[in-house]
Coordinates of all heavy atoms in Angstrom, one line a residue:
M1 N 173.2 126.7 172.7 CA 172.1 126.5 171.8 C 172.5 125.5 170.7 O 173.6 125.3 170.5 CB 171.8 127.9 171.0 CG 171.2 128.9 171.9 SD 170.6 130.4 171.0 CE 169.0 129.7 170.4
R2 N 171.6 124.8 170.1 CA 171.8 123.7 169.2 C 171.1 124.1 167.9 O 169.9 124.3 167.8 CB 171.1 122.5 169.8 CG 171.4 121.2 169.1 CD 171.1 120.0 170.1 NE 171.2 118.8 169.3 CZ 170.2 118.0 169.0 NH1 169.0 118.2 169.2 NH2 170.5 116.9 168.2
F3 N 171.9 124.0 166.8 CA 171.4 124.3 165.5 C 171.5 123.1 164.4 O 172.4 122.3 164.6 CB 172.1 125.5 164.9 CG 171.9 126.7 165.7 CD1 172.9 127.2 166.4 CD2 170.7 127.4 165.7 CE1 172.7 128.4 167.2 CE2 170.5 128.6 166.4 CZ 171.5 129.1 167.1
L4 N 170.6 123.2 163.5 CA 170.6 122.2 162.4 C 170.7 123.2 161.1 O 170.1 124.1 160.9 CB 169.4 121.5 162.2 CG 169.3 120.5 161.0 CD1 170.5 119.4 161.1 CD2 167.9 119.8 161.1
V5 N 171.8 122.8 160.2 CA 172.1 123.6 159.1 C 171.7 122.7 157.8 O 172.4 121.6 157.8 CB 173.6 124.1 158.9 CG1 173.8 124.8 157.6 CG2 173.9 125.0 160.1
V6 N 171.0 123.1 157.0 CA 170.4 122.2 155.9 C 170.7 122.9 154.5 O 170.1 124.0 154.3 CB 168.9 122.0 156.1 CG1 168.4 120.9 155.1 CG2 168.6 121.6 157.5
D7 N 171.4 122.3 153.7 CA 171.8 122.8 152.3 C 172.4 121.8 151.6 O 173.3 121.1 152.1 CB 172.7 124.0 152.5 CG 172.7 124.9 151.3 OD1 172.8 124.4 150.1 OD2 172.6 126.1 151.4
D8 N 172.1 121.6 150.3 CA 172.7 120.6 149.4 C 174.0 121.0 149.0 O 174.8 120.3 148.4 CB 171.8 120.2 148.2 CG 171.4 121.4 147.4 OD1 171.1 122.6 147.9 OD2 171.4 121.2 146.2
D9 N 174.4 122.4 149.1 CA 175.7 122.9 148.7 C 176.7 122.6 149.9 O 176.5 123.3 150.9 CB 175.5 124.4 148.3 CG 176.8 125.0 148.0 OD1 178.0 124.8 148.6 OD2 176.9 125.8 146.9
D10 N 177.6 121.8 149.7 CA 178.5 121.4 150.8 C 179.2 122.5 151.3 O 179.4 122.7 152.4 CB 179.4 120.3 150.3 CG 178.8 119.0 150.0 OD1 177.7 118.7 150.5 OD2 179.5 118.1 149.3
T11 N 179.7 123.4 150.4 CA 180.6 124.5 150.8 C 179.8 125.5 151.6 O 180.1 125.9 152.7 CB 181.1 125.2 149.6 OG1 181.9 124.4 148.8 CG2 182.0 126.4 150.0
L12 N 178.5 125.9 151.2 CA 177.7 126.8 152.0 C 177.4 126.1 153.4 O 177.5 126.8 154.5 CB 176.4 127.2 151.2 CG 175.5 128.2 152.0 CD1 176.4 129.4 152.3 CD2 174.4 128.5 151.1
R13 N 177.0 124.9 153.4 CA 176.5 124.2 154.6 C 177.7 124.2 155.6 O 177.4 124.5 156.7 CB 176.1 122.8 154.3 CG 175.4 122.0 155.4 CD 174.9 120.7 155.0 NE 176.0 119.7 154.7 CZ 176.3 119.2 153.6 NH1 175.4 119.5 152.5 NH2 177.3 118.4 153.3
L14 N 178.8 123.8 155.1 CA 180.0 123.6 156.0 C 180.5 125.1 156.5 O 181.0 125.2 157.7 CB 181.1 122.9 155.4 CG 180.8 121.4 155.1 CD1 181.9 120.9 154.2 CD2 180.5 120.7 156.3
T15 N 180.4 126.1 155.7 CA 180.7 127.5 156.1 C 179.8 127.9 157.2 O 180.3 128.6 158.2 CB 180.7 128.4 154.9 OG1 181.5 127.9 153.8 CG2 181.0 129.8 155.2
V16 N 178.5 127.8 157.0 CA 177.5 128.1 158.1 C 177.8 127.4 159.4 O 177.8 127.9 160.4 CB 176.1 128.0 157.7 CG1 175.1 128.4 158.7 CG2 175.8 129.0 156.4
K17 N 178.0 126.2 159.2 CA 178.2 125.3 160.4 C 179.6 125.7 161.1 O 179.6 125.9 162.3 CB 178.5 123.8 160.0 CG 178.8 122.9 161.1 CD 179.0 121.5 160.7 CE 179.3 120.5 161.9 NZ 179.7 119.3 161.5
A18 N 180.6 126.0 160.4 CA 181.8 126.5 161.1 C 181.7 127.9 161.7 O 182.2 128.1 162.7 CB 183.0 126.5 159.9
A19 N 180.9 128.8 161.1 CA 180.8 130.0 161.8 C 179.9 129.9 163.0 O 180.3 130.6 164.0 CB 180.0 131.0 160.7
L20 N 179.0 129.0 163.0 CA 178.2 128.8 164.3 C 179.0 128.1 165.4 O 179.0 128.5 166.5 CB 176.9 128.1 164.1 CG 175.9 128.8 163.2 CD1 174.7 127.9 162.7 CD2 175.2 129.9 164.0
E21 N 179.8 127.2 164.9 CA 180.6 126.4 165.9 C 181.7 127.3 166.6 O 182.0 127.2 167.7 CB 181.3 125.2 165.3 CG 180.3 124.1 165.0 CD 180.9 122.8 164.3 OE1 181.8 123.0 163.5 OE2 180.3 121.7 164.5
S22 N 182.2 128.2 165.6 CA 183.3 129.2 166.1 C 182.8 130.2 167.3 O 183.5 130.7 168.0 CB 183.9 130.1 165.0 OG 183.0 130.9 164.6
R23 N 181.5 130.2 167.4 CA 180.8 131.0 168.4 C 180.4 130.2 169.5 O 179.6 130.6 170.3 CB 179.7 131.8 167.8 CG 180.2 133.0 166.9 CD 179.2 133.5 166.0 NE 179.7 134.6 165.2 CZ 180.4 134.6 164.1 NH1 180.9 133.3 163.7 NH2 180.9 135.6 163.4
G24 N 180.8 128.9 169.5 CA 180.4 128.0 170.7 C 179.2 127.3 170.5 O 178.8 126.6 171.5
Y25 N 178.4 127.3 169.3 CA 177.1 126.6 169.3 C 177.4 125.2 168.9 O 178.3 124.9 168.2 CB 176.2 127.2 168.3 CG 175.9 128.7 168.7 CD1 176.3 129.8 167.9 CD2 175.2 128.9 169.8 CE1 175.9 131.1 168.2 CE2 174.8 130.2 170.1 CZ 175.2 131.3 169.4 OH 174.9 132.5 169.8
S26 N 176.5 124.3 169.2 CA 176.4 122.9 168.8 C 175.7 122.9 167.5 O 174.6 123.4 167.4 CB 175.7 122.0 169.8 OG 175.5 120.8 169.4
V27 N 176.3 122.3 166.5 CA 175.7 122.3 165.2 C 175.7 120.9 164.5 O 176.8 120.3 164.5 CB 176.4 123.3 164.2 CG1 175.8 123.3 162.8 CG2 176.5 124.6 164.8
E28 N 174.7 120.5 164.0 CA 174.6 119.3 163.0 C 174.1 119.8 161.6 O 173.8 120.9 161.4 CB 173.6 118.3 163.6 CG 173.9 117.8 165.0 CD 173.0 116.7 165.5 OE1 172.4 116.0 164.7 OE2 172.8 116.5 166.6
E29 N 174.3 118.8 160.7 CA 174.0 119.2 159.3 C 173.2 118.2 158.6 O 173.2 117.0 159.0 CB 175.3 119.5 158.6 CG 176.3 118.4 158.6 CD 177.5 118.6 157.9 OE1 177.6 118.8 156.7 OE2 178.6 118.7 158.6
A30 N 172.4 118.6 157.6 CA 171.8 117.8 156.6 C 171.8 118.2 155.3 O 172.0 119.5 155.0 CB 170.3 117.7 157.1
E31 N 171.9 117.3 154.3 CA 172.1 117.7 153.0 C 170.8 118.0 152.2 O 170.9 118.4 151.0 CB 172.9 116.6 152.2 CG 172.2 115.3 152.0 CD 172.2 114.3 153.3 OE1 172.8 114.7 154.3 OE2 171.5 113.4 153.2
D32 N 169.7 117.7 152.7 CA 168.4 118.1 152.0 C 167.3 118.2 153.0 O 167.5 117.8 154.2 CB 168.1 117.1 150.9 CG 168.0 115.6 151.3 OD1 167.3 115.4 152.3 OD2 168.4 114.8 150.6
G33 N 166.1 118.6 152.5 CA 165.0 118.7 153.5 C 164.5 117.4 154.0 O 164.2 117.3 155.3
A34 N 164.6 116.3 153.3 CA 164.2 115.0 153.9 C 165.0 114.5 155.0 O 164.6 114.1 156.1 CB 164.1 114.0 152.8
A35 N 166.4 114.7 154.9 CA 167.4 114.3 155.9 C 167.2 115.3 157.1 O 167.2 114.8 158.3 CB 168.7 114.4 155.4
A36 N 166.7 116.5 156.9 CA 166.5 117.5 157.9 C 165.3 117.0 158.8 O 165.4 117.0 160.0 CB 166.3 118.9 157.4
V37 N 164.2 116.7 158.1 CA 163.0 116.3 158.8 C 163.3 115.0 159.7 O 162.9 114.9 160.8 CB 161.9 116.1 157.9 CG1 160.7 115.3 158.5 CG2 161.4 117.4 157.2
Q38 N 164.0 114.1 159.1 CA 164.4 112.8 159.8 C 165.2 113.2 161.0 O 164.9 112.6 162.1 CB 165.1 111.9 158.9 CG 165.5 110.6 159.6 CD 166.2 109.7 158.7 OE1 166.8 110.1 157.7 NE2 166.4 108.4 159.1
K39 N 166.2 114.1 161.0 CA 166.9 114.5 162.1 C 166.1 115.1 163.1 O 166.2 114.8 164.4 CB 168.1 115.5 161.7 CG 169.3 114.7 161.0 CD 170.3 115.7 160.8 CE 171.6 114.9 160.3 NZ 172.5 114.4 161.3
V40 N 165.1 116.0 162.8 CA 164.3 116.7 163.7 C 163.4 115.7 164.4 O 163.2 115.7 165.7 CB 163.5 117.8 163.1 CG1 162.4 118.3 164.0 CG2 164.4 118.8 162.6
E41 N 162.9 114.7 163.6 CA 162.0 113.7 164.3 C 162.7 112.8 165.3 O 162.1 112.4 166.2 CB 161.4 112.8 163.1 CG 160.4 113.5 162.2 CD 159.9 112.6 161.1 OE1 160.7 111.7 160.6 OE2 158.8 112.7 160.7
T42 N 163.9 112.5 165.0 CA 164.7 111.6 165.8 C 165.6 112.1 166.9 O 166.2 111.4 167.7 CB 165.5 110.5 164.9 OG1 166.4 111.3 164.2 CG2 164.6 109.8 164.0
A43 N 165.6 113.5 167.0 CA 166.6 114.1 167.9 C 166.1 113.9 169.3 O 165.1 114.1 169.6 CB 166.5 115.6 167.6
A44 N 167.2 113.6 170.1 CA 166.8 113.3 171.6 C 166.5 114.7 172.2 O 165.8 114.8 173.1 CB 168.0 112.7 172.2
T45 N 167.2 115.7 171.7 CA 166.9 117.1 172.3 C 166.6 117.9 171.0 O 167.3 117.9 170.0 CB 168.3 117.6 173.0 OG1 168.7 116.7 173.9 CG2 168.0 119.0 173.4
R46 N 165.6 118.9 171.2 CA 165.2 119.7 170.1 C 166.2 120.6 169.7 O 167.1 121.0 170.4 CB 163.9 120.4 170.4 CG 164.1 121.5 171.2 CD 162.7 122.4 171.3 NE 162.9 123.5 172.2 CZ 163.5 124.7 171.9 NH1 163.9 124.9 170.6 NH2 163.5 125.7 172.8
Y47 N 166.2 121.0 168.4 CA 167.0 122.0 167.9 C 166.4 123.4 168.2 O 165.3 123.6 168.1 CB 167.2 122.0 166.3 CG 167.8 120.7 165.9 CD1 167.1 119.6 165.4 CD2 169.3 120.6 165.9 CE1 167.8 118.4 165.1 CE2 169.9 119.5 165.5 CZ 169.2 118.4 165.0 OH 169.8 117.2 164.6
D48 N 167.2 124.3 168.7 CA 166.8 125.7 169.0 C 166.4 126.4 167.7 O 165.5 127.2 167.6 CB 167.8 126.4 169.7 CG 168.2 125.9 171.1 OD1 167.1 125.9 171.9 OD2 169.2 125.3 171.4
G49 N 167.3 126.1 166.6 CA 167.1 126.8 165.3 C 167.6 125.8 164.2 O 168.4 125.0 164.4
V50 N 166.9 126.2 163.0 CA 167.2 125.4 161.8 C 167.5 126.3 160.7 O 166.6 127.3 160.4 CB 166.1 124.5 161.4 CG1 166.4 123.7 160.1 CG2 165.7 123.5 162.6
F51 N 168.6 126.3 160.1 CA 168.9 127.1 158.9 C 168.7 126.4 157.6 O 169.2 125.2 157.5 CB 170.4 127.6 158.9 CG 170.8 128.5 160.0 CD1 171.0 128.1 161.3 CD2 170.9 129.8 159.7 CE1 171.3 128.9 162.3 CE2 171.2 130.8 160.7 CZ 171.4 130.2 162.0
L52 N 167.7 126.8 156.7 CA 167.3 125.9 155.6 C 167.4 126.7 154.3 O 167.0 127.8 154.2 CB 165.7 125.8 155.8 CG 165.2 124.8 156.6 CD1 163.7 124.9 156.9 CD2 165.4 123.4 156.1
D53 N 168.0 126.0 153.3 CA 168.0 126.4 151.9 C 166.7 126.2 151.4 O 166.0 125.3 151.9 CB 169.1 125.7 151.2 CG 169.3 126.1 149.8 OD1 168.9 127.2 149.6 OD2 169.8 125.2 149.0
V54 N 166.2 126.9 150.4 CA 164.9 126.7 149.7 C 165.0 125.6 148.7 O 164.2 124.6 148.7 CB 164.5 128.0 149.1 CG1 163.3 127.8 148.3 CG2 164.2 129.0 150.2
N55 N 166.0 125.7 147.7 CA 165.9 124.7 146.6 C 167.0 123.6 146.9 O 168.1 123.8 146.7 CB 166.4 125.5 145.4 CG 166.3 124.7 144.2 OD1 165.5 123.9 144.0 ND2 167.0 125.1 143.0
M56 N 166.4 122.4 147.2 CA 167.1 121.2 147.4 C 166.5 120.0 146.9 O 165.2 120.1 146.7 CB 167.3 121.0 149.0 CG 168.0 122.1 149.7 SD 168.2 121.8 151.5 CE 166.5 122.0 152.1
P57 N 167.2 119.0 146.6 CA 166.6 117.7 146.0 C 165.9 117.0 147.1 O 166.1 117.2 148.3 CB 167.8 116.9 145.6 CG 169.0 117.4 146.4 CD 168.7 118.9 146.6
N58 N 165.1 116.0 146.8 CA 164.3 115.2 147.7 C 163.2 115.8 148.5 O 162.1 115.4 148.4 CB 165.2 114.4 148.7 CG 166.3 113.6 148.0 OD1 166.0 112.9 147.0 ND2 167.4 113.5 148.5
M59 N 163.4 117.0 149.1 CA 162.4 117.7 149.7 C 162.9 119.2 149.8 O 164.0 119.4 150.4 CB 162.1 117.2 151.1 CG 161.0 118.0 151.8 SD 160.7 117.5 153.6 CE 160.0 115.9 153.3
S60 N 162.1 120.1 149.3 CA 162.5 121.5 149.3 C 162.5 122.0 150.8 O 162.0 121.5 151.7 CB 161.6 122.4 148.5 OG 160.4 122.6 149.3
G61 N 163.2 123.2 150.9 CA 163.2 124.0 152.3 C 161.9 124.3 152.7 O 161.6 124.3 153.9
I62 N 161.0 124.7 151.7 CA 159.6 125.1 152.2 C 158.9 123.9 152.7 O 158.2 124.1 153.7 CB 158.9 125.7 150.8 CG1 159.7 126.9 150.4 CG2 157.5 126.1 151.3 CD1 159.9 128.1 151.3
E63 N 159.0 122.8 152.0 CA 158.3 121.6 152.5 C 158.8 121.2 153.8 O 158.1 120.8 154.7 CB 158.5 120.5 151.5 CG 157.7 120.6 150.2 CD 158.1 119.6 149.2 OE1 159.2 119.6 148.7 OE2 157.2 118.7 148.9
A64 N 160.2 121.2 153.9 CA 160.8 120.8 155.2 C 160.4 121.8 156.4 O 160.1 121.3 157.4 CB 162.3 120.7 155.1
L65 N 160.3 123.1 156.0 CA 159.9 124.1 157.1 C 158.5 123.7 157.6 O 158.4 123.6 158.9 CB 159.9 125.5 156.4 CG 159.3 126.6 157.3 CD1 160.1 126.8 158.5 CD2 159.2 127.8 156.4
A66 N 157.6 123.3 156.8 CA 156.2 123.0 157.2 C 156.3 121.8 158.1 O 155.7 121.8 159.2 CB 155.3 122.7 156.1
R67 N 157.1 120.8 157.8 CA 157.2 119.5 158.6 C 157.9 119.8 159.9 O 157.4 119.2 160.9 CB 157.8 118.4 157.8 CG 157.1 118.0 156.5 CD 156.0 117.0 156.7 NE 156.5 115.9 157.5 CZ 157.1 114.7 157.1 NH1 157.5 114.7 155.8 NH2 157.4 113.8 157.9
I68 N 159.0 120.5 159.8 CA 159.7 120.8 161.0 C 158.9 121.7 162.1 O 159.0 121.3 163.2 CB 161.0 121.6 160.7 CG1 162.0 120.6 160.0 CG2 161.6 122.2 161.9 CD1 163.1 121.3 159.3
K69 N 158.1 122.5 161.5 CA 157.3 123.3 162.5 C 156.2 122.5 163.0 O 155.8 122.8 164.2 CB 156.7 124.6 161.8 CG 157.8 125.6 161.5 CD 158.6 126.0 162.6 CE 158.0 127.0 163.6 NZ 158.9 127.4 164.7
E70 N 155.7 121.5 162.4 CA 154.7 120.6 163.0 C 155.4 119.7 164.2 O 154.7 119.5 165.1 CB 154.2 119.6 161.8 CG 153.3 120.3 160.8 CD 152.9 119.2 159.7 OE1 153.3 117.9 159.9 OE2 152.3 119.7 158.8
I71 N 156.5 119.2 163.8 CA 157.3 118.4 164.7 C 157.8 119.1 165.9 O 157.8 118.7 167.1 CB 158.5 117.6 164.1 CG1 158.0 116.8 162.8 CG2 159.2 116.8 165.0 CD1 159.0 116.5 161.9
S72 N 158.4 120.3 165.7 CA 159.2 121.1 166.7 C 158.7 122.5 166.6 O 159.5 123.4 166.1 CB 160.7 120.9 166.6 OG 161.2 121.5 167.7
P73 N 157.5 122.8 167.0 CA 157.0 124.2 166.9 C 157.9 125.4 167.6 O 157.9 126.5 167.2 CB 155.6 124.3 167.4 CG 155.4 122.9 168.2 CD 156.6 122.1 167.7
A74 N 158.5 125.0 168.7 CA 159.5 125.9 169.3 C 160.8 126.2 168.6 O 161.4 127.3 169.0 CB 159.7 125.4 170.8
S75 N 161.1 125.5 167.7 CA 162.4 125.7 166.9 C 162.2 126.8 165.9 O 161.2 126.8 165.2 CB 162.8 124.5 166.2 OG 163.1 123.4 167.0
F76 N 163.1 127.8 165.9 CA 162.9 128.8 164.9 C 163.6 128.4 163.6 O 164.6 127.6 163.7 CB 163.5 130.2 165.4 CG 164.9 130.2 165.6 CD1 165.8 130.5 164.6 CD2 165.4 130.1 166.9 CE1 167.2 130.6 164.7 CE2 166.9 130.1 167.1 CZ 167.7 130.5 166.0
C77 N 163.2 128.9 162.5 CA 163.8 128.5 161.2 C 164.2 129.8 160.4 O 163.4 130.8 160.4 CB 162.8 127.8 160.3 SG 162.3 126.1 161.1
I78 N 165.3 129.7 159.9 CA 165.9 130.9 159.1 C 166.1 130.2 157.7 O 166.7 129.2 157.4 CB 167.2 131.4 159.6 CG1 167.0 132.0 160.9 CG2 167.8 132.3 158.6 CD1 168.3 132.4 161.7
I79 N 165.4 131.0 156.7 CA 165.5 130.5 155.3 C 166.6 131.2 154.6 O 166.8 132.4 154.7 CB 164.3 130.9 154.5 CG1 163.0 130.3 155.1 CG2 164.3 130.6 153.0 CD1 162.9 128.8 154.9
M80 N 167.6 130.4 153.9 CA 168.7 130.9 153.3 C 168.4 130.6 151.8 O 168.1 129.4 151.5 CB 170.0 130.1 153.7 CG 170.2 130.2 155.2 SD 171.8 129.3 155.6 CE 171.5 127.7 155.0
T81 N 168.6 131.5 150.9 CA 168.4 131.2 149.5 C 169.1 132.3 148.6 O 169.3 133.4 149.1 CB 166.9 131.1 149.2 OG1 166.7 130.7 147.8 CG2 166.1 132.5 149.4
A82 N 169.3 131.9 147.4 CA 169.8 132.9 146.4 C 168.7 133.3 145.5 O 168.9 134.2 144.7 CB 170.8 132.1 145.4
F83 N 167.4 132.9 145.8 CA 166.2 133.2 145.1 C 165.8 134.7 145.6 O 166.2 135.1 146.6 CB 165.1 132.3 145.3 CG 165.2 131.0 144.6 CD1 165.6 129.9 145.3 CD2 165.0 130.9 143.2 CE1 165.8 128.7 144.6 CE2 165.2 129.7 142.5 CZ 165.6 128.7 143.3
S84 N 165.0 135.3 144.7 CA 164.5 136.6 145.1 C 163.5 136.5 146.3 O 162.9 135.5 146.6 CB 163.8 137.3 144.0 OG 162.5 136.6 143.6
E85 N 163.3 137.7 146.9 CA 162.4 137.7 148.0 C 160.9 137.3 147.6 O 160.2 136.6 148.3 CB 162.4 139.2 148.5 CG 161.4 139.4 149.8 CD 161.5 140.8 150.2 OE1 162.4 141.5 150.0 OE2 160.6 141.2 150.9
A86 N 160.5 137.7 146.4 CA 159.2 137.4 146.0 C 159.0 135.9 145.8 O 157.9 135.4 145.9 CB 158.9 138.1 144.5
T87 N 160.0 135.2 145.3 CA 159.9 133.8 145.1 C 159.7 133.0 146.5 O 159.0 132.0 146.5 CB 161.2 133.3 144.5 OG1 161.5 134.0 143.3 CG2 161.2 131.8 144.2
V88 N 160.3 133.5 147.6 CA 160.2 132.9 148.8 C 159.0 133.3 149.7 O 158.3 132.5 150.4 CB 161.4 133.1 149.6 CG1 161.3 132.4 151.0 CG2 162.6 132.5 148.8
N89 N 158.6 134.6 149.6 CA 157.5 135.2 150.5 C 156.2 134.5 150.4 O 155.6 134.2 151.4 CB 157.4 136.7 150.3 CG 158.4 137.4 151.0 OD1 159.2 136.9 151.8 ND2 158.5 138.7 150.6
E90 N 155.7 134.2 149.2 CA 154.4 133.6 149.0 C 154.4 132.2 149.7 O 153.5 132.0 150.5 CB 153.9 133.6 147.6 CG 152.6 133.2 147.4 CD 152.1 133.2 146.0 OE1 152.6 134.1 145.3 OE2 151.3 132.4 145.6
P91 N 155.2 131.3 149.3 CA 155.1 130.0 150.0 C 155.2 130.0 151.4 O 154.6 129.3 152.2 CB 156.2 129.1 149.2 CG 156.7 130.0 148.1 CD 156.3 131.3 148.4
V92 N 156.0 130.9 151.9 CA 156.4 130.9 153.5 C 155.2 131.5 154.2 O 154.8 131.2 155.2 CB 157.7 131.7 153.7 CG1 157.8 131.9 155.2 CG2 158.9 131.0 153.3
A93 N 154.5 132.6 153.4 CA 153.4 133.2 154.1 C 152.2 132.2 154.2 O 151.5 132.3 155.2 CB 153.0 134.4 153.2
I94 N 152.1 131.2 153.4 CA 151.0 130.2 153.5 C 151.2 129.4 154.8 O 150.2 129.0 155.4 CB 151.1 129.3 152.3 CG1 150.7 130.2 151.0 CG2 150.2 128.1 152.4 CD1 150.9 129.4 149.7
L95 N 152.5 129.2 155.3 CA 152.7 128.5 156.5 C 152.3 129.3 157.7 O 152.0 128.8 158.7 CB 154.1 128.1 156.6 CG 154.7 127.2 155.4 CD1 156.1 127.0 155.4 CD2 154.0 125.9 155.3

């Protein structure tokens, strides 16, 4: 399986990447939503899954989620955040 980990926090992004790689998965990373969308658009092979932070510069995880699902509807997305459930549920439910 092939994953994309998206977070502006280097430590968290690299920790998730290392955990997935230690289980034998192929993992790429992006530092914000805009970079993630660009990677999904230009990928030769689709990502099976995308791990997305919510609060990032340039393009939020919520905005990136909408774009990624348009480009690659078969890829699943997992939202990672320190925000409360209520903060995330409403914008994600709209998608």
Side-chain angles (χ1 to χ4, degrees):
M1 291 188 85
R2 187 165 179 249
F3 295 107
L4 178 61
V5 178
V6 188
D7 200 311
D8 60 320
D9 181 315
D10 294 341
T11 301
L12 183 57
R13 186 178 68 247
L14 295 174
T15 300
V16 173
K17 180 181 181 192
L20 291 167
E21 287 177 334
S22 74
R23 287 161 178 80
Y25 298 116
S26 173
V27 184
E28 293 185 34
E29 57 184 288
E31 67 281 352
D32 60 43
V37 169
Q38 182 179 17
K39 283 185 175 272
V40 171
E41 286 177 331
T42 60
T45 305
R46 79 168 175 84
Y47 294 99
D48 295 295
V50 181
F51 292 80
L52 280 167
D53 183 22
V54 171
N55 189 22
M56 296 180 288
N58 300 321
M59 180 186 290
S60 75
I62 301 300
E63 293 171 292
L65 172 62
R67 297 278 308 280
I68 289 167
K69 293 308 283 183
E70 287 174 6
I71 300 162
S72 182
S75 298
F76 67 84
C77 295
I78 295 175
I79 300 292
M80 308 181 300
T81 186
F83 287 105
S84 70
E85 183 178 337
T87 304
V88 175
N89 279 350
E90 186 177 331
V92 170
I94 292 169
L95 299 174

